[in-house]
Protein backbone atom coordinates (compact mmCIF):
# COMPACT_ATOMS: atom_id res chain seq x y z
CA UNK A 1 0.00 0.00 0.00
CA UNK A 2 1.47 3.41 -0.88
CA UNK A 3 1.72 5.79 2.05
CA UNK A 4 0.88 9.51 1.57
CA UNK A 5 4.60 10.30 1.33
CA UNK A 6 4.93 7.80 -1.56
CA UNK A 7 2.21 9.62 -3.49
CA UNK A 8 3.86 11.20 -6.54
CA UNK A 9 1.17 13.87 -6.59
CA UNK A 10 2.53 16.66 -4.41
CA UNK A 11 1.46 20.16 -3.48
CA UNK A 12 -1.75 21.51 -5.01
CA UNK A 13 -0.79 24.64 -6.99
CA UNK A 14 -4.24 25.52 -8.36
CA UNK A 15 -7.34 24.32 -6.54
CA UNK A 16 -10.58 23.13 -8.11
CA UNK A 17 -12.35 26.27 -6.88
CA UNK A 18 -9.66 28.58 -8.29
CA UNK A 19 -9.76 26.77 -11.64
CA UNK A 20 -13.53 27.12 -11.94
CA UNK A 21 -13.46 30.82 -11.05
CA UNK A 22 -10.61 31.66 -13.43
CA UNK A 23 -12.12 29.70 -16.31
CA UNK A 24 -15.35 31.70 -15.89
CA UNK A 25 -13.36 34.96 -15.91
CA UNK A 26 -11.47 33.94 -19.05
CA UNK A 27 -14.72 32.94 -20.77
CA UNK A 28 -16.25 36.32 -19.93
CA UNK A 29 -13.18 38.11 -21.33
CA UNK A 30 -13.17 36.03 -24.53
CA UNK A 31 -16.95 36.47 -24.96
CA UNK A 32 -16.61 40.25 -24.64
CA UNK A 33 -13.67 40.42 -27.06
CA UNK A 34 -15.45 38.31 -29.68
CA UNK A 35 -18.94 39.80 -29.29
CA UNK A 36 -20.85 39.61 -32.60
CA UNK A 37 -18.28 37.20 -34.04
CA UNK A 38 -18.13 33.44 -34.38
CA UNK A 39 -15.24 31.62 -32.86
CA UNK A 40 -13.42 28.43 -33.79
CA UNK A 41 -11.77 26.88 -30.74
CA UNK A 42 -8.81 24.64 -31.47
CA UNK A 43 -8.17 22.15 -28.68
CA UNK A 44 -4.72 20.70 -28.39
CA UNK A 45 -5.06 17.05 -27.40
CA UNK A 46 -5.00 15.60 -24.92
CA UNK A 47 -4.08 17.97 -22.11
CA UNK A 48 -6.47 20.80 -23.03
CA UNK A 49 -9.69 18.76 -23.10
CA UNK A 50 -10.93 19.57 -19.59
CA UNK A 51 -10.04 23.25 -19.86
CA UNK A 52 -11.59 23.50 -23.31
CA UNK A 53 -14.82 21.79 -22.24
CA UNK A 54 -15.23 24.10 -19.25
CA UNK A 55 -14.22 27.24 -21.16
CA UNK A 56 -16.50 26.48 -24.11
CA UNK A 57 -19.54 25.89 -21.87
CA UNK A 58 -19.03 29.30 -20.30
CA UNK A 59 -18.70 31.21 -23.60
CA UNK A 60 -21.66 33.29 -24.71
CA UNK A 61 -20.56 33.76 -28.36
CA UNK A 62 -21.40 31.20 -31.07
CA UNK A 63 -18.50 28.77 -31.30
CA UNK A 64 -17.30 25.61 -32.99
CA UNK A 65 -14.57 23.26 -31.88
CA UNK A 66 -11.92 21.17 -33.60
CA UNK A 67 -8.91 19.26 -32.31
CA UNK A 68 -5.28 18.78 -33.14
CA UNK A 69 -2.91 16.26 -31.66
CA UNK A 70 0.79 16.99 -31.68
CA UNK A 71 3.70 15.15 -30.14
CA UNK A 72 5.34 16.92 -27.24
CA UNK A 73 6.57 15.25 -24.08
CA UNK A 74 5.75 11.55 -24.37
CA UNK A 75 6.20 10.19 -20.90
CA UNK A 76 9.29 12.20 -19.96
CA UNK A 77 9.10 15.53 -18.16
CA UNK A 78 11.36 17.59 -20.41
CA UNK A 79 10.57 19.30 -23.70
CA UNK A 80 12.12 17.58 -26.69
CA UNK A 81 11.55 20.63 -28.87
CA UNK A 82 10.33 18.24 -31.56
CA UNK A 83 6.77 18.95 -32.70
CA UNK A 84 4.92 16.61 -35.02
CA UNK A 85 1.23 16.65 -36.05
CA UNK A 86 -0.39 13.36 -35.04
CA UNK A 87 -3.95 14.46 -35.89
CA UNK A 88 -4.78 17.48 -38.00
CA UNK A 89 -7.94 19.62 -37.96
CA UNK A 90 -11.06 18.50 -39.81
CA UNK A 91 -12.18 22.02 -40.76
CA UNK A 92 -10.57 24.77 -42.85
CA UNK A 93 -9.63 27.98 -40.99
CA UNK A 94 -9.66 30.40 -43.93
CA UNK A 95 -11.39 33.63 -42.88
CA UNK A 96 -12.31 32.31 -39.40
CA UNK A 97 -11.66 33.82 -35.97
CA UNK A 98 -9.51 31.16 -34.33
CA UNK A 99 -8.60 30.68 -30.67
CA UNK A 100 -6.05 28.02 -29.80
CA UNK A 101 -6.84 26.54 -26.39
CA UNK A 102 -3.67 25.23 -24.72
CA UNK A 103 -3.23 23.48 -21.40
CA UNK A 104 0.25 24.73 -20.54
CA UNK A 105 3.02 26.76 -22.14
CA UNK A 106 6.48 25.79 -20.92
CA UNK A 107 9.30 26.65 -23.35
CA UNK A 108 6.73 27.98 -25.83
CA UNK A 109 8.16 25.84 -28.65
CA UNK A 110 4.91 23.98 -29.19
CA UNK A 111 2.95 27.20 -29.37
CA UNK A 112 5.40 28.81 -31.76
CA UNK A 113 5.07 25.86 -34.08
CA UNK A 114 1.27 25.83 -33.84
CA UNK A 115 0.97 29.55 -34.51
CA UNK A 116 3.17 29.30 -37.59
CA UNK A 117 1.31 26.28 -38.86
CA UNK A 118 -2.21 27.69 -38.31
CA UNK A 119 -1.36 31.20 -39.54
CA UNK A 120 -0.46 29.65 -42.90
CA UNK A 121 -4.13 28.57 -43.21
CA UNK A 122 -5.20 32.25 -43.47
CA UNK A 123 -7.58 32.68 -40.51
CA UNK A 124 -9.17 36.13 -40.06
CA UNK A 125 -7.60 36.23 -36.59
CA UNK A 126 -5.49 33.86 -34.50
CA UNK A 127 -5.09 34.11 -30.72
CA UNK A 128 -4.11 31.80 -27.87
CA UNK A 129 -5.78 31.05 -24.57
CA UNK A 130 -3.47 29.09 -22.24
CA UNK A 131 -4.61 27.88 -18.84
CA UNK A 132 -1.10 27.70 -17.39
CA UNK A 133 2.17 29.39 -18.22
CA UNK A 134 5.67 28.73 -16.88
CA UNK A 135 8.50 31.25 -16.54
CA UNK A 136 10.46 29.97 -19.59
CA UNK A 137 7.58 30.99 -21.86
CA UNK A 138 8.53 34.65 -21.48
CA UNK A 139 11.61 34.01 -23.62
CA UNK A 140 9.52 33.44 -26.74
CA UNK A 141 7.64 36.15 -28.53
CA UNK A 142 4.44 34.21 -29.11
CA UNK A 143 2.86 34.92 -25.73
CA UNK A 144 -0.82 33.97 -25.30
CA UNK A 145 -3.44 36.73 -25.27
CA UNK A 146 -5.32 34.97 -22.45
CA UNK A 147 -3.56 33.26 -19.54
CA UNK A 148 -5.17 31.51 -16.59
CA UNK A 149 -2.34 31.16 -14.09
CA UNK A 150 1.42 31.70 -13.97
CA UNK A 151 3.20 28.74 -12.42
CA UNK A 152 6.65 28.22 -10.97
CA UNK A 153 9.00 26.05 -13.05
CA UNK A 154 7.72 22.69 -11.79
CA UNK A 155 6.21 19.71 -13.59
CA UNK A 156 2.47 19.63 -12.91
CA UNK A 157 -0.36 17.15 -13.38
CA UNK A 158 -4.15 17.20 -13.15
CA UNK A 159 -7.08 18.92 -14.90
CA UNK A 160 -6.06 17.26 -18.16
CA UNK A 161 -2.30 17.24 -17.63
CA UNK A 162 -0.63 13.86 -17.35
CA UNK A 163 2.50 12.08 -16.36
CA UNK A 164 2.85 8.93 -18.48
CA UNK A 165 -0.90 9.25 -19.25
CA UNK A 166 -1.95 9.24 -15.59
CA UNK A 167 -3.46 11.90 -13.32
CA UNK A 168 -5.42 13.73 -16.03
CA UNK A 169 -8.60 13.20 -14.00
CA UNK A 170 -7.44 15.06 -10.91
CA UNK A 171 -9.79 18.04 -10.46
CA UNK A 172 -6.89 20.33 -9.42
CA UNK A 173 -3.38 21.14 -10.71
CA UNK A 174 -0.61 19.73 -8.53
CA UNK A 175 3.17 19.47 -8.66
CA UNK A 176 4.58 16.04 -9.41
CA UNK A 177 7.14 14.86 -6.88
CA UNK A 178 10.27 14.04 -8.83
CA UNK A 179 12.34 11.09 -7.58
P1 LIG B 1 6.52 23.65 -24.56
O1 LIG B 1 6.67 23.36 -26.02
O2 LIG B 1 5.86 24.99 -24.30
O3 LIG B 1 7.83 23.52 -23.83
O4 LIG B 1 5.62 22.50 -23.95
C1 LIG B 1 4.25 22.48 -24.15
C2 LIG B 1 3.67 21.11 -23.92
O5 LIG B 1 4.48 20.34 -23.02
C3 LIG B 1 2.32 21.20 -23.24
O6 LIG B 1 1.27 21.30 -24.19
C4 LIG B 1 2.26 19.92 -22.43
O7 LIG B 1 1.80 18.87 -23.23
C5 LIG B 1 3.71 19.67 -22.06
N1 LIG B 1 4.06 20.20 -20.73
C6 LIG B 1 4.81 21.29 -20.42
N2 LIG B 1 4.93 21.46 -19.10
C7 LIG B 1 4.21 20.47 -18.54
C8 LIG B 1 3.92 20.10 -17.17
O8 LIG B 1 4.34 20.74 -16.18
N3 LIG B 1 3.11 19.02 -17.00
C9 LIG B 1 2.61 18.29 -18.04
N4 LIG B 1 1.86 17.24 -17.74
N5 LIG B 1 2.87 18.60 -19.33
C10 LIG B 1 3.65 19.67 -19.57
Amino acid sequence: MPTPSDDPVGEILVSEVALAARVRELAAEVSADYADRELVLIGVLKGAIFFLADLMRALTVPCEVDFMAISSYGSATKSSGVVRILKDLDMPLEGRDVLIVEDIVDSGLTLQYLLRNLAARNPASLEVCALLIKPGARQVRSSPRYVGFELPDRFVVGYGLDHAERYRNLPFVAALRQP
Side-chain angles (χ1 to χ4, degrees):
M1 277 284 284
T3 64
S5 59
D6 293 331
D7 190 348
V9 178
E11 187 190 346
I12 294 179
L13 300 179
V14 190
S15 71
E16 191 172 357
V17 170
L19 281 169
R22 188 71 187 116
V23 171
R24 273 196 305 273
E25 281 175 5
L26 287 172
E29 218 180 304
V30 172
S31 299
D33 291 350
Y34 289 87
D36 305 320
R37 285 149 83 188
E38 286 178 22
L39 203 47
V40 178
L41 302 178
I42 307 280
V44 184
L45 295 172
K46 303 172 192 171
I49 54 170
F50 292 77
F51 175 43
L52 184 134
D54 288 343
L55 183 80
M56 191 172 181
R57 270 178 293 191
L59 290 177
T60 55
V61 287
C63 50
E64 298 172 22
V65 66
D66 202 350
F67 292 97
M68 264 182 113
I70 51 181
S71 68
S72 49
Y73 276 37
S75 58
T77 57
K78 268 212 195 133
S79 181
S80 62
V82 177
V83 179
R84 199 159 53 93
I85 296 184
L86 305 176
K87 183 224 169 285
D88 207 343
L89 301 173
D90 295 326
M91 61 172 74
L93 298 182
E94 176 109 35
R96 308 295 309 266
D97 287 308
V98 176
L99 183 64
I100 301 174
V101 180
E102 260 283 26
D103 48 2
I104 187 162
V105 181
D106 183 0
S107 68
L109 288 173
T110 306
L111 194 54
Q112 247 178 1
Y113 170 84
L114 267 180
L115 282 167
R116 252 204 322 270
N117 185 291
L118 298 184
R121 305 179 194 200
N122 298 320
S125 68
L126 180 61
E127 298 289 350
V128 179
C129 179
L131 178 67
L132 306 166
I133 190 161
K134 290 200 204 168
R138 290 192 209 106
Q139 290 160 20
V140 293
R141 265 181 296 152
S142 45
S143 59
R145 173 155 175 192
Y146 308 96
V147 174
F149 298 91
E150 293 194 15
L151 289 183
D153 197 9
R154 293 170 73 180
F155 193 84
V156 296
V157 293
Y159 197 60
L161 291 161
D162 75 310
H163 179 242
E165 291 302 326
R166 290 195 53 192
Y167 313 117
R168 293 191 196 276
N169 57 323
L170 294 173
F172 47 76
V173 173
L176 191 76
R177 283 203 187 98
Q178 307 282 359

